[in-house]
Amino acid sequence: METCNLLIKNAIVMTDYETIQNGMDIAVADGKVLEVVKTGSREYQADKVISGEGKLFMPGLIDSHMHTGQQLLKGLVLDAKPIIWTRVMLPFESTLTTEKMKLSARVAALEMIKSGTTAFIDAGSYHMDAAAEVYAKTGLRGRLSYSTMDEEGLPESIAMDAKQAVQETDSLYENWNGKGNLKVYYSLRALNSCSDELTELAAAHAKERNAMLQAHMNEYQGEVDGIIKREGMRPYEYLEKMDVLSSRFLGAHSLILSEEEKVLIKEHGVKICHCPFSNCGKAVPDTPDYVERGIIPGFGTDGAAHGGLSLWNEMRIFRSLMNIYHGVPNRNPKVMPAELLFRMVFEGGAAAIDEVGACGRIEAGYKADMISVNLDAGRLIPSGNLLHTMFECAESGDVRDMIVGGEVLMEDRVVKTLDEERIRFEALEYMKKEGVL
Ligand SMILES: [Zn+2]
């Protein structure tokens, strides 16, 4: 008899973005999937067994772009007058405290676990040591960044020069990179908020450490026009000139791209992701064209202040948007099929979190990052195509179990690594203090 740490018995398994197998056992050892076999074909002695009856197991969802530091802004961004960056985001972020960030990280982690998100990338916030301390205990696979910019006129509490800005990430990297499931990314908040010196310095420090570098890219027409005005070229062309583009660069959003920029992204193996709900107010990307070129974006939520942290929502919003914008005019109902959308969240997400070939599948040798969805919920069955139904109908509340790196973070909706009751209490107390309740 073989041994393993965790055995999931008799489940329906969505092993990747296009394959569903019935009556399978998943054996997990040392944080990785040992094998996925037909139930009963191999006997295992396991430290822990989870029944897969009535459940579908699938790779965990990957949030390629979120902001822990905007968690307490939920409800305050919708319908706000532009430009929200200067009117809402900056005043809020510049008044964050260590205590607020701890609460933000706790509520964000709770929402992610309950929604089926096993891995996430924080696009850059403040007081990140406090957030890292919380995230390290949750077991989630996290990629953390310090918000990095050196433009003139920032609020005093967050104003810094290029050297100070990069030092903040150096210190976050020292403290947290490689601790548990955490890694640290360097970041440029957005190119028009960063000087040449900062862009060069952040890229050099990331390269020295073989760390990823990320930035908000080509999100607004005004932002793209600003770089064209400042540099005489488009944002990705500027980054190429600065020798920043590589497969270690993640360009969040990447909505408004020229032909040349698409070529640069492909050539350099740059990773990109979209945040559909947040992006809807800005621009519609030509993603079918990206995919044809072999560029597979991941999905991000852009943080809880842009419609919550559910990637189920983001995928469905994106599918609707693509159909209206690219499908209907071209009479192509399959412009963004469910398999491709899952491929984006699993494979595009794995690339964004720097886990190509290691995350995004339930397959021997892959990290054991997976979730289960309760099929007994009346809404999901009967179904003539479970993969389509998972895409069309599954929601955060249907997620039952979560396993990350072989560790069970949630079982039957009971979160093991966080005190859910206390977090809900703290969240309500915060609302009372802010005068909302
Ligand atoms: Zn963002």
Side-chain angles (χ1 to χ4, degrees), residues 240-279:
E240 199 209 19
K241 187 195 88 176
M242 300 291 282
D243 200 19
V244 169
L245 292 187
S246 78
S247 60
R248 315 293 297 149
F249 183 80
L250 169 64
H253 305 300
S254 294
L255 305 176
I256 307 164
L257 298 177
S258 68
E259 172 64 26
E260 288 74 17
E261 288 181 298
K262 290 178 200 168
V263 171
L264 286 176
I265 287 170
K266 177 66 184 159
E267 256 179 27
H268 290 277
V270 166
K271 315 294 193 298
I272 65 169
C273 71
H274 301 319
C275 304
F277 185 83
S278 170
N279 293 162

Side-chain angles (χ1 to χ4, degrees), residues 65 67 123 216 219 253 302:
H65 185 94
H67 294 266
H216 289 80
E219 183 180 6
H253 305 300
D302 213 359

Side-chain angles (χ1 to χ4, degrees), residues 77-337:
V77 173
L78 193 74
D79 303 334
K81 278 189 194 148
I83 301 169
I84 57 167
W85 171 243
T86 43
R87 290 173 59 93
V88 183
M89 301 308 194
L90 266 182
F92 179 82
E93 288 192 16
S94 62
T95 54
L96 279 171
T97 61
T98 300
E99 280 314 305
K100 280 185 185 175
M101 272 305 276
K102 279 189 182 165
L103 175 60
S104 297
R106 281 198 283 266
V107 286
L110 181 63
E111 189 177 350
M112 285 191 276
I113 293 174
K114 294 229 130 179
S115 306
T117 300
T118 50
F120 68 95
I121 300 171
D122 186 301
S125 301
Y126 300 96
H127 305 279
M128 284 309 291
D129 281 295
E133 211 175 290
V134 172
Y135 283 134
K137 290 181 194 144
T138 64
L140 285 166
R141 201 171 293 289
R143 305 292 179 250
L144 308 178
S145 275
Y146 199 88
S147 180
T148 307
M149 49 186 168
D150 64 345
E151 69 181 313
E152 297 282 310
L154 288 174
E156 205 185 322
S157 60
I158 57 169
M160 53 187 90
D161 64 27
K163 285 197 184 70
Q164 289 169 322
V166 174
Q167 252 163 27
E168 292 287 354
T169 311
D170 289 347
S171 134
L172 189 68
Y173 187 93
E174 275 307 307
N175 294 342
W176 296 102
N177 190 65
K179 298 261 166 73
N181 290 328
L182 301 184
K183 279 188 189 173
V184 171
Y185 283 15
Y186 280 76
S187 105
L188 302 166
R189 192 72 192 237
L191 299 188
N192 40 15
S193 302
C194 298
S195 64
D196 280 0
E197 186 195 358
L198 176 54
T199 303
E200 260 172 1
L201 206 57
H205 281 230
K207 204 169 179 182
E208 269 169 30
R209 293 158 180 80
N210 197 30
M212 294 281 287
L213 173 67
Q214 62 176 336
H216 289 80
M217 294 292 294
N218 300 50
E219 183 180 6
Y220 303 90
Q221 192 60 54
E223 163 225 334
V224 173
D225 292 345
I227 294 298
I228 293 172
K229 198 169 162 207
R230 192 183 87 185
E231 303 294 336
M233 60 186 82
R234 295 179 65 90
Y236 275 101
E237 293 171 333
Y238 165 70
L239 287 187
E240 199 209 19
K241 187 195 88 176
M242 300 291 282
D243 200 19
V244 169
L245 292 187
S246 78
S247 60
R248 315 293 297 149
F249 183 80
L250 169 64
H253 305 300
S254 294
L255 305 176
I256 307 164
L257 298 177
S258 68
E259 172 64 26
E260 288 74 17
E261 288 181 298
K262 290 178 200 168
V263 171
L264 286 176
I265 287 170
K266 177 66 184 159
E267 256 179 27
H268 290 277
V270 166
K271 315 294 193 298
I272 65 169
C273 71
H274 301 319
C275 304
F277 185 83
S278 170
N279 293 162
C280 274
K282 296 156 191 171
V284 183
D286 191 3
T287 312
D289 179 58
Y290 302 1
V291 171
E292 219 161 272
R293 294 164 190 258
I295 303 163
I296 308 294
F299 281 118
T301 58
D302 213 359
H306 294 287
L309 296 179
S310 163
L311 286 160
W312 305 99
N313 280 350
E314 298 294 342
M315 286 193 287
R316 275 199 287 271
I317 291 164
F318 193 67
R319 153 88 180 203
S320 307
L321 184 68
M322 289 292 108
N323 270 20
I324 296 165
Y325 201 82
H326 297 297
V328 173
N330 299 311
R331 297 173 184 245
N332 178 7
K334 225 180 161 183
V335 71
M336 202 49 63

